Amino acid sequence: MNRFLLLPASLVLVLGLSACGDRQFRPLGFLNRAPDPVVSPPEEVATDADGEEIVDADGAGDTPTPSASGELGTTIASLGDPTVPGLWLETGLVSTETPGRVIAENGQSVELTLRPSGGEASAGSRLSVAAMQALGLGLTDLAPLTVFAGP
């Protein structure tokens, strides 16, 4: 009786495998696909009529940098990476790391490090846990901030 049950099962297995031919069976094969590469748009560089890059007298190019001090603008800040310690704000309002200060709508102010986020100036910002606490903000708040470069 056991041989009778094994024979049809093995026959089905052999016939099933032979029907596959040279096709590969890949259930949910789209999950095994490599992700599409991330392509960043090229940075725009100012050039003259000969195609040469235009460089300032000091050789710095056209990279915007914050002024020594003064208001950079306003931003809406949410909680940044809670594992990164310190007082900092990641924002598109700066292109290089610089000391700065922010003022919340509640009037509280804190000096911190302004870090470039790589986003647009209007894209919003991320604020450290310590800075949110110093400003008296809740960790889930979306806080309007006025950002200043310099101490």
Side-chain angles (χ1 to χ4, degrees):
M1 186 74 168
N2 288 340
R3 287 188 207 162
F4 181 71
L5 290 176
L6 291 178
L7 181 61
S10 61
L11 185 59
V12 168
L13 180 62
V14 169
L15 290 175
L17 291 176
S18 66
C20 291
D22 59 345
R23 288 180 152 188
Q24 290 183 339
F25 178 67
R26 292 188 209 172
L28 301 175
F30 65 91
L31 294 176
N32 297 329
R33 187 179 64 164
D36 295 332
V38 176
V39 179
S40 300
E43 291 185 26
E44 292 184 24
V45 177
T47 57
D48 61 14
D50 297 327
E52 297 292 323
E53 183 178 343
I54 298 174
V55 178
D56 293 343
D58 64 357
D62 289 329
T63 305
T65 56
S67 60
S69 63
E71 184 174 337
L72 298 176
T74 59
T75 188
I76 302 294
S78 62
L79 178 63
D81 185 348
T83 64
V84 179
L87 294 166
W88 49 264
L89 174 72
E90 290 179 346
T91 180
L93 295 172
V94 296
S95 59
T96 59
E97 193 169 297
T98 186
R101 182 172 53 96
V102 294
I103 301 175
E105 282 188 327
N106 63 9
Q108 296 288 336
S109 169
V110 67
E111 290 184 8
L112 43 66
T113 301
L114 300 174
R115 298 178 178 172
S117 67
E120 296 290 323
S122 61
S125 303
R126 290 175 297 278
L127 192 59
S128 70
V129 171
M132 289 191 96
Q133 291 172 338
L135 292 169
L137 303 172
L139 298 180
T140 59
D141 289 353
L142 294 177
L145 301 174
T146 304
V147 182
F148 297 86

